[in-house]
Amino acid sequence: MAALTPVALLKSQLNLDHDLDDALLAHKLDAAETWIGHYTGTPFVAGEAPLTEAALQLAAYWYEQREAASFGMTTAPVPFGVRELLSPYKNPVTGYVQE
């Protein structure tokens, strides 16, 4: 699946002015949008500013922190603020099924 968020927007987020990593950036955006869909329980919607911002933050973070582990410092799998941006879109799950 191709990302709905433009690579050019992610390049602006990262202050990149070259095309060397465009394929990698597109992959990071696609992964971020997929992660957002799984996290919220609803498909990613292009044009929703909070969803786009969350995708940009997540993809930029994954681009800059390419390793799963880091030594000598604390890292997080999701940058601060992403979950807060997504909380209004999250599908609540209680376990209760109405009959």
Side-chain angles (χ1 to χ4, degrees), residues 39-40 50-51 54 81-92:
Y39 180 79
T40 60
L51 293 176
V82 168
R83 286 187 172 94
E84 288 77 8
L85 285 165
L86 298 176
S87 65
Y89 298 91
K90 191 157 180 167
N91 222 355

Side-chain angles (χ1 to χ4, degrees), residues 23-92:
L24 179 60
L25 294 172
H27 170 75
K28 300 292 183 188
L29 278 172
D30 189 26
E33 291 175 1
T34 300
W35 186 91
I36 289 168
H38 289 276
Y39 180 79
T40 60
T42 59
F44 183 86
V45 178
E48 289 277 337
L51 293 176
T52 300
E53 181 60 28
L56 290 171
Q57 287 185 19
L58 195 53
Y61 182 77
W62 287 342
Y63 175 78
E64 292 177 339
Q65 305 293 326
R66 297 182 197 191
E67 301 300 323
S70 184
F71 300 100
M73 68 173 121
T74 304
T75 60
V78 178
F80 178 76
V82 168
R83 286 187 172 94
E84 288 77 8
L85 285 165
L86 298 176
S87 65
Y89 298 91
K90 191 157 180 167
N91 222 355

Side-chain angles (χ1 to χ4, degrees), residues 4-37:
L4 301 173
T5 305
V7 170
L9 196 55
L10 180 56
K11 288 169 76 170
S12 293
Q13 175 91 2
L14 290 163
N15 292 319
L16 293 178
D17 60 358
H18 60 76
D19 298 332
L20 300 173
D21 290 336
D22 282 6
L24 179 60
L25 294 172
H27 170 75
K28 300 292 183 188
L29 278 172
D30 189 26
E33 291 175 1
T34 300
W35 186 91
I36 289 168

